[in-house]
Amino acid sequence: MTSCDRNPLLEEWNTPFGIAPFQEIRTEHYKPAILKAIEEHDKEIAAIAANPEPPTFENTVVALDNSGELFNRIYAVFSNGASIDATPEVMALETELSPIISDHLNSISMNEELFARIKTLYDGRETLGLEPDQMRLLTETYRSYERAGAALPADKKEELRKINARISELQLLFEQNVLKETADFTLVVDNEKDLAGLPQAAVSAAAARAEEKGMGGWWAFGLDNASMMPFLQFDDNRELRTKLLDGYLNRGNNGNANDNKAIIVELVNLSNQKAAIMGYDNYASYVLEDRMAKTPEAVYALLDQLWGPALKSAKKELADMYPIAKAQGVTDELRAADWRYYFEKAKADKFNFSEDELKPYFKFENVREGIFYVANRLYGITFTQLNNVPVPHPEAQAFECRDADGSQLGVIFMDMFARPGLKRGGAWCTGYREQFYENGERVIPIVSIVGNFTRGQGDAPALLSPDETETFFHEFGHALQSLLQDVRYQGNAPMTRDFVELPSQINEHWAFEPEVLKVYAKHYGTGEVIPQDLVDKLDRSGKYGQGFATTEYLAASLLDMDYFIMDEIPADLDVNKFEAKVLGDRGLIAQIPPRYRSTYFSHVFGGGYTVGYYSYIWAEVLDADAYAAFKETGDIFNQEVARKFREEILERGGEDDAMTLYVNFRGKEPGIDPLLENRGLK
């Protein structure tokens, strides 16, 4: 292969830690590399399925577990790259490759010869003398093939294959539409008076954004949280707040080329058809059978138990705002665009405290060091920045993680600042390589956390809001689980969707503990440690606002469930009317929209968290109870509790049933009281 036609994705990666050679990869390299990787993967699967030897655990289950290494590593680079640098060329390539990749994966999961070998082993599993993790791998492999349709007759398989391909295509289109809608909206302010109330950092960021758009001398605000949230919290112009929030809430709902309503209707119908083929009344029942929750009834029981107290608390918060709004001359009902603005004023009135007072103490680099400090205190691990390794994006940083004994645990990338129009919204943890074993040696994972935090402007550093700080701790909790994971078989790594948020959410608990704040929360200008009176105010106000936060979250979770619990989908399903009815019937007040309205609910209609958005609150039952295990000892860094949490939860991934793993750690199943206490809803 000559230098002009070489493809770095298909070469051996002679880089530190086996990191992808990101700086050498071009968009044109992806398609031929993925097609070649699919070809190689197909050969591996064919060899396993056609093996003339009788099936054994090693020649079938382990061989399958080890297959697809080339495909997995190349596709990880491509899919992650598309999330952080979604150029038009990359999005077009995603659209082109989506049906090809879907067909490839369906061909594996519906391979009759392969499934026959797996079934033979599963049927005789008690005679194989398997160790517990081997039995788990065999059982879960069999169940995954069965749930993917491997046991269906040929005509149903073909029908399911077409449905799966179409679902993948629509989910991708949905996500791309949301990305475009987010990028296409800009609120331009041309009068400095309309910036009254905004912190200077937000004003500077808006001026810089306007400059980038060729509107020097004006101010531009977008729909990414880093730009939008300060405006909604602090800008005095009510009409402009309303215009900005309306732009956010109506993404994918504008009747244009990026409208997502028809996509939602088709996805709901296709999901229901898939459930019917698999023998279930509705898609929610099909999905939840494989989760901790097991049934829709269990999910609704939890959500309904919280809805009443959350809504009651939210109404109290709303009542606190009206006198302040009235004093400012507001004579009509408060709007959704008023909530964050007047909530900040109500909080300041109640606690003599504003969120903006905190920001100088939450410099990005200091928060990161605080996160490292907590991980070190809990697990003895350390992080060292790597300056001469390839990174997924020029703005990303890399760190090596080592255990207390000096052994390597993994590499983590951090790409934490917003790139509107190119980077997917929100924050997430992903991976370029899962931990696995090769010839008895642990191969370290390569993990990445991605965010959309507010950048520093000029000489000022990036200062995080409390919400961004908590998000940073959250995503790092996911990364910790990946870095500390130590499973023998890759198929045993995945945690169920409603268990996977436990490691991330428990990590949030340390973010604002006074003992931890004293270590990392230092004024960016003076180096002064956060004053005790500010810590006390933060602590006292910590539960204020949980009515709104819990209600908007529950509304989105219920919306997700309600779409997929229907046994029959109405022929005239109207997305906006459906959303308004199911939430209106539950009494959701007009000032609180769901955290995600249907047409930009990428968690659900972009895939990943379909019938799964409830998982955050389900896992919060676990994380609140698990954190109580530390608090009960009087030491939030109790080494015995940390050791058990690492060994029974973080290291084991999906090696056993999720509740079994939890009980192994805690000694009992969790109760809901710690969650209610944590949110101030008890």
Side-chain angles (χ1 to χ4, degrees), residues 19 56 65 154 244 342 395 508:
I19 295 171
T56 66
D65 194 54
L244 184 61
Y342 285 110
E395 294 186 336
E508 296 175 24

Side-chain angles (χ1 to χ4, degrees), residues 238 318-332 334 341-342 345-346 349:
R238 191 185 193 200
L318 181 61
D320 289 341
M321 301 177 197
Y322 270 104
I324 301 170
K326 185 177 180 181
Q328 290 193 350
V330 176
T331 57
D332 59 344
L334 291 182
Y341 178 78
Y342 285 110
K345 296 186 179 303
D349 190 51

Side-chain angles (χ1 to χ4, degrees), residues 499-621:
F499 192 51
V500 76
E501 295 299 335
L502 167 59
S504 56
Q505 290 178 187
I506 193 174
N507 208 52
E508 296 175 24
H509 286 267
W510 281 273
F512 303 121
E513 282 282 4
E515 181 180 345
V516 178
L517 286 171
K518 294 292 186 183
V519 172
Y520 80 87
K522 300 174 183 177
H523 194 282
Y524 78 93
T526 66
E528 173 200 16
V529 173
I530 188 169
Q532 184 62 46
D533 71 313
L534 206 51
V535 174
D536 292 341
K537 289 176 183 178
L538 177 61
D539 183 56
R540 287 196 301 271
S541 66
K543 294 181 176 62
Y544 191 60
Q546 280 299 320
F548 171 86
T550 307
T551 300
E552 67 153 5
Y553 164 77
L554 291 174
S557 299
L558 288 162
L559 189 59
D560 170 30
M561 290 294 299
D562 289 347
Y563 272 113
F564 296 100
I565 195 64
M566 292 183 282
D567 294 352
E568 298 289 337
I569 311 300
D572 60 346
L573 177 63
D574 182 300
V575 166
N576 288 331
K577 289 180 180 178
F578 179 84
E579 178 181 301
K581 177 171 173 50
V582 298
L583 297 179
D585 287 351
R586 290 187 172 92
L588 181 65
I589 56 180
Q591 294 83 359
I592 304 182
R595 184 177 295 176
Y596 296 98
R597 291 196 63 201
S598 303
T599 55
Y600 58 87
F601 204 167
S602 291
H603 284 78
V604 172
F605 298 111
Y609 276 79
T610 311
V611 195
Y613 198 64
Y614 77 91
S615 299
Y616 293 95
I617 204 78
W618 186 278
E620 192 173 335
V621 174

Side-chain angles (χ1 to χ4, degrees), residues 390-596:
V391 290
H393 188 275
E395 294 186 336
Q397 297 175 310
F399 298 85
E400 180 186 13
C401 177
R402 287 186 176 268
D403 210 341
D405 63 3
S407 59
Q408 289 181 341
L409 285 170
V411 171
I412 179 173
F413 299 125
M414 294 186 183
D415 178 6
M416 304 308 296
F417 295 102
R419 291 189 291 276
L422 289 173
K423 185 190 278 190
R424 199 179 88 199
W428 64 94
C429 179
T430 185
Y432 289 88
R433 184 174 69 209
E434 292 275 359
Q435 168 266 325
F436 68 98
Y437 273 81
E438 187 173 56
N439 301 320
E441 295 291 325
R442 182 180 185 270
V443 177
I444 64 170
I446 299 173
V447 187
S448 179
I449 58 174
V450 185
N452 279 276
F453 294 163
T454 309
R455 297 174 181 276
Q457 297 297 326
D459 295 332
L463 302 176
L464 304 189
S465 68
D467 183 63
E468 289 175 322
T469 298
E470 190 172 76
T471 296
F472 203 170
F473 272 81
H474 176 102
E475 298 306 336
F476 192 80
H478 280 306
L480 272 179
Q481 192 278 317
S482 294
L483 291 167
L484 296 177
Q485 181 178 283
D486 192 21
V487 299
R488 180 161 50 155
Y489 301 107
Q490 295 176 73
N492 282 341
M495 306 171 87
T496 61
R497 175 59 68 200
D498 44 13
F499 192 51
V500 76
E501 295 299 335
L502 167 59
S504 56
Q505 290 178 187
I506 193 174
N507 208 52
E508 296 175 24
H509 286 267
W510 281 273
F512 303 121
E513 282 282 4
E515 181 180 345
V516 178
L517 286 171
K518 294 292 186 183
V519 172
Y520 80 87
K522 300 174 183 177
H523 194 282
Y524 78 93
T526 66
E528 173 200 16
V529 173
I530 188 169
Q532 184 62 46
D533 71 313
L534 206 51
V535 174
D536 292 341
K537 289 176 183 178
L538 177 61
D539 183 56
R540 287 196 301 271
S541 66
K543 294 181 176 62
Y544 191 60
Q546 280 299 320
F548 171 86
T550 307
T551 300
E552 67 153 5
Y553 164 77
L554 291 174
S557 299
L558 288 162
L559 189 59
D560 170 30
M561 290 294 299
D562 289 347
Y563 272 113
F564 296 100
I565 195 64
M566 292 183 282
D567 294 352
E568 298 289 337
I569 311 300
D572 60 346
L573 177 63
D574 182 300
V575 166
N576 288 331
K577 289 180 180 178
F578 179 84
E579 178 181 301
K581 177 171 173 50
V582 298
L583 297 179
D585 287 351
R586 290 187 172 92
L588 181 65
I589 56 180
Q591 294 83 359
I592 304 182
R595 184 177 295 176
Y596 296 98

Side-chain angles (χ1 to χ4, degrees), residues 70 73 338 346 527:
L70 181 64
R73 70 183 181 117
D338 293 324

